[in-house]
Structures are given as C-alpha cells and as structure tokens.
Amino acid sequence: MSDQRIFITGGASGLGQAIALRYARAGWRVCIADVNDTRGAETLKTLSSLTQHAHYLRCDVTREEDLRAASEWLASNWGGVDVVVNNAGVAQAGAIEEVSLDDWQWIIDINLLGVVRGCKVFTPLFKRQGHGHFVNVASMAGLLDVPMMSSYNATKAAVVSLSETLHNELADNHIGVSVVCPSFFKTNLTESLRTSNAGLRTVMGKLLERSPITADDIADQIFRAVARRDFYILPHSEGRQAWLMKRLLPRNLYASVIRNRTRRMRGHGGAPQA
C-alpha cells in the first residue's frame, strides 16, 4: 500500500475519473473533487473498492475558497498531498463574431482561472512539504489553432503557458509540473459544450466517439509520465505530428493546410479535426 496522495479536480467523470482509478489501482490515496455530487458518490464507491483511502470533496474550481478547503482537508487528514491534477474543464465552440463575452468569461473562469487557482492554493503546501507535482490538463487545442474554437483554444494555450512558466519558477522548490495535451478521445466533454451551432456539436461528438484512444489509455500515460517527471504529455501520435508540422513548416503553408481542412469540414456542416 502506497502512502502517496493525489488530488484531482473534475474527478467524478471523464479523464479525471480515469486518472483517479489508475492511481487507486496503484494503491495511492485518492481524493477527487467535483461539482456533481451524484457522480462523486458513484466514483467514490468504485475507488473505495480499489484503495483503502479514497475521499470525495465538493469543489467548484471557480471558488478559491473551495480549493483552500480541499488543501486544508488534505493537510489535516492525510498530512498533505503529492500530486495535484488540475483537470476540471468545459468546452465552447463557435465563430468569433457569434460567441458572447459571457461565454468567454465562463470558459476563462473554469479552464484557465480554475487551473490558476489550483496552482496558487497548493503551491504553499507543496513548498512546506518540500515537494509536490502539478498535472495541468490542457489540450492539443492549446498547441494548435483549430478554427471555430477560439475561446477553447485560447484558454488551453494559456494553461500550456502557465505550466511552462511554473515548470521554471517552482523547480528550485522541488515542485514538478506536467501539462497534458490530448486530442479527441472518448469523454463527456460535449455535456459542457456551449455552442449555437448544431453542426459543431454533432461533429465534435463524432470525433470524440471515433477516437481509438480512451480516457483510461491517457490516464495510464499520465501515471507513467508523472513518475518520470516528464513535462509535456502528448498522448495522440496525430496530435504530436500536427504540432511538429506547425513548428517546422512556414506559417503560410501550415495555415493553408488548416484552412483547406476547415473549408472541407464546413461543407459538411462541421468543424475541422484537431
């Protein structure tokens, strides 16, 4: 039985749940946080069959006080935490002129500031312990520039930049950082999707469903990468290839590939594949 401890936001479903189960199978103490109490209870029941120490906390990442309460619970009950996974996130899609500023503020508050709050709140605990590791869940959308998803892309790009900054800033404190950038995979992300374009919703759902890579596959890659203290975790080979193309090709050539793909997809009422 491991004495290591992990805390995961958005841990009651999707990738967060898969990460929780992977660490539970390894014998870690697993604390999940979510805003869905029903799913939280269901996931906790499964976790409790895999590890002796599992706990669920209701936690809204838009509320700094919720994350502070989680930090205090972990310090008081488990003596601290070794890995914090800032995973909670939502999706938004649409043309730049169609997306409301309210939707921009909504996605920034969760996808970006939710990660900022998690890092801000848990860094002092990590420093007191003398160690810790952040896993920030971004997306290939944060490394690429898929049209019709500007707000989602921007928040995920900001999470990548934040993670890169903290990787340097916290190194002398023995605090590790990893950033996860998956492409499409089977998850419940469309439940949170805000869009006025029915075609975008349909195509995104199809892309998520047809992926050969599952949340469990990505969770296993995260488990192994964090043990090695890797920084970038890019689970999809197609995503890695696209990122390499973006970095090596002249911008105009890369952009023409993306634009052509977008035009083809728009002809079918959808969005391009990341």
Side-chain angles (χ1 to χ4, degrees), residues 15 138-141 143-144 180-187 207-219 221-222 232-244 273-274:
L15 180 58
S139 168
M140 285 308 300
L143 299 175
L144 306 176
V180 188
C181 297
S183 297
F184 295 109
F185 65 98
K186 295 181 179 67
T187 185
L207 292 172
L208 294 173
E209 281 301 315
R210 78 183 188 191
S211 171
I213 295 182
T214 67
D216 289 339
D217 296 329
I218 296 172
Q221 289 194 43
I222 292 170
Y232 290 111
I233 304 175
L234 311 178
H236 292 76
S237 61
E238 296 86 353
R240 294 192 296 271
Q241 292 166 8
W243 189 39
L244 185 65
Q273 181 177 357

Side-chain angles (χ1 to χ4, degrees), residues 13-274:
S13 63
L15 180 58
Q17 182 188 65
I19 296 169
L21 295 174
R22 179 63 183 88
Y23 276 86
R25 286 194 292 270
W28 282 50
R29 298 182 180 213
V30 179
C31 179
I32 58 170
D34 211 287
V35 294
N36 189 316
D37 292 336
T38 300
R39 284 181 175 171
E42 293 169 352
T43 301
L44 179 60
K45 184 177 180 180
T46 304
L47 289 171
S48 297
S49 69
L50 298 172
T51 178
Q52 293 180 12
H53 299 279
H55 190 69
Y56 167 72
L57 293 171
R58 179 173 179 80
C59 179
D60 181 344
V61 297
T62 68
R63 292 167 48 88
E64 185 177 350
E65 56 267 37
D66 285 10
L67 288 158
R68 290 198 181 282
S71 176
E72 292 166 3
W73 187 94
L74 288 159
S76 298
N77 291 274
W78 288 355
V81 64
D82 301 287
V83 175
V84 169
V85 183
N86 292 304
N87 165 73
V90 292
Q92 205 288 324
I96 185 64
E97 72 273 19
E98 297 172 353
V99 179
S100 70
L101 288 181
D102 284 344
D103 278 355
W104 271 93
Q105 291 169 342
W106 168 74
I107 197 170
I108 289 171
D109 201 18
I110 298 170
N111 284 11
L112 172 56
L113 293 181
V115 177
V116 171
R117 293 182 188 100
C119 293
K120 175 180 172 61
V121 165
F122 281 94
T123 291
L125 176 57
F126 280 171
K127 286 183 175 181
R128 290 196 300 271
Q129 295 175 166
H131 74 278
H133 197 106
F134 286 114
V135 178
N136 296 331
V137 178
S139 168
M140 285 308 300
L143 299 175
L144 306 176
D145 40 82
V146 179
M148 307 293 284
M149 296 189 68
S150 56
S151 63
Y152 185 76
N153 296 351
T155 59
K156 293 302 186 178
V159 169
V160 173
S161 180
L162 171 69
S163 302
E164 290 170 341
T165 302
L166 295 182
H167 187 232
N168 295 325
E169 181 178 326
L170 301 176
D172 289 343
N173 300 105
H174 308 289
I175 299 171
V177 179
S178 298
V179 63
V180 188
C181 297
S183 297
F184 295 109
F185 65 98
K186 295 181 179 67
T187 185
N188 60 337
L189 188 62
T190 53
E191 290 182 12
S192 71
L193 176 65
R194 287 190 182 184
T195 181
S196 58
N197 187 319
L200 287 172
R201 182 181 296 277
T202 299
V203 171
M204 183 174 289
K206 289 180 179 178
L207 292 172
L208 294 173
E209 281 301 315
R210 78 183 188 191
S211 171
I213 295 182
T214 67
D216 289 339
D217 296 329
I218 296 172
D220 188 59
Q221 289 194 43
I222 292 170
F223 181 84
R224 290 184 279 112
V226 171
R228 297 190 301 263
R229 297 181 74 81
D230 292 348
F231 177 71
Y232 290 111
I233 304 175
L234 311 178
H236 292 76
S237 61
E238 296 86 353
R240 294 192 296 271
Q241 292 166 8
W243 189 39
L244 185 65
M245 181 174 68
K246 179 182 178 181
R247 287 181 293 154
L248 297 181
L249 290 180
R251 174 65 192 182
N252 287 344
L253 180 56
Y254 166 76
S256 69
V257 173
I258 295 297
R259 289 166 188 162
N260 287 335
R261 185 177 297 179
T262 301
R263 292 187 190 103
R264 290 197 303 271
M265 295 302 295
R266 279 178 176 168
H268 293 85
Q273 181 177 357

